[in-house]
Amino acid sequence: MQKKIILILLLSLNGCSSYRPIPTEAEHMSFRSYVNKEMIDDKQTSYNLKHVDRALETYSNLLLNSLREKATNAWNVSNITTAGGAAAIIGGITEKTGLLNTGLGIAGLGFATSSQAKLDEQISLTLVAYKKLSCVKGYSGSLTEKLAQLVRTSGDQDAIAALASAPEDTIRSIINIQDDYLVSMYALKPSAPSSGDLTNFFDRLVELRTATTASLRGRKAQASPETEAAIKTIKGYKLQLEACNKFG
């Protein structure tokens, strides 16, 4: 009976090596590669925001699956601890000192595995990265074809330029999120923006509002409220992406 219980507990530890905070090969692959794949599948020679959005959906799902796996690992470790405690109780009831010691040892191993693999930190870092990607997805999804058409016909050259750079701006923002996630997973030290970073960000936000106001005043023809809203959205898009990178 003692050997049978110990064998069950040891089998429950099988796969603990997968608890290590090592991102998968798919998570490592540069986000730009995902965009290029969408572009090639679409038989295009240059990428657009639709390709970026589809690649973003793919990478977001990768992190979501990774998050699910890490949460499962955390529960598995919890089960190991519970099973070890049960063995200790059985050992006490049957007055088998050896089994009691084994049970307590395996119960402790569950805690040790969780601590060594830092499962809570892994879950937290993956969740933050997923939230950042969701933030980007929300803003990129707002750049509809209707908005693009309004910007193109607005005559506002700054807005038109911002629209043209939106796909590349989105890619760079996601690559920054990806890099932060990978580095943080290896170091297990999530990066928080410094007070200087936040100050610079808000200074740029003020500059953007000032520039947008001056641009609107400088145009001869008054654009429709819908066009004005489109111009405001596209001009603020890059800063919104930066805000997503600081999310979490």
Side-chain angles (χ1 to χ4, degrees), residues 4 12 18 25 41 69 75 80 99 103 127 138 144 162 164 168 180 187 192 199-200 203 225 230 233:
K4 185 177 180 181
S12 71
S18 66
E25 185 177 345
D41 289 348
E69 181 180 352
W75 277 105
I80 292 169
L99 179 58
L127 183 59
T144 63
E168 180 61 24
D180 284 346
T199 300
N200 292 336
D203 285 346
T233 297

Side-chain angles (χ1 to χ4, degrees), residues 73-105:
N73 288 343
W75 277 105
N76 287 342
V77 169
S78 175
N79 289 339
I80 292 169
T81 302
T82 301
I89 293 172
I90 293 172
I93 291 174
T94 59
E95 297 181 352
K96 299 279 188 180
T97 304
L99 179 58
L100 176 61
N101 291 338
T102 302
L104 290 174

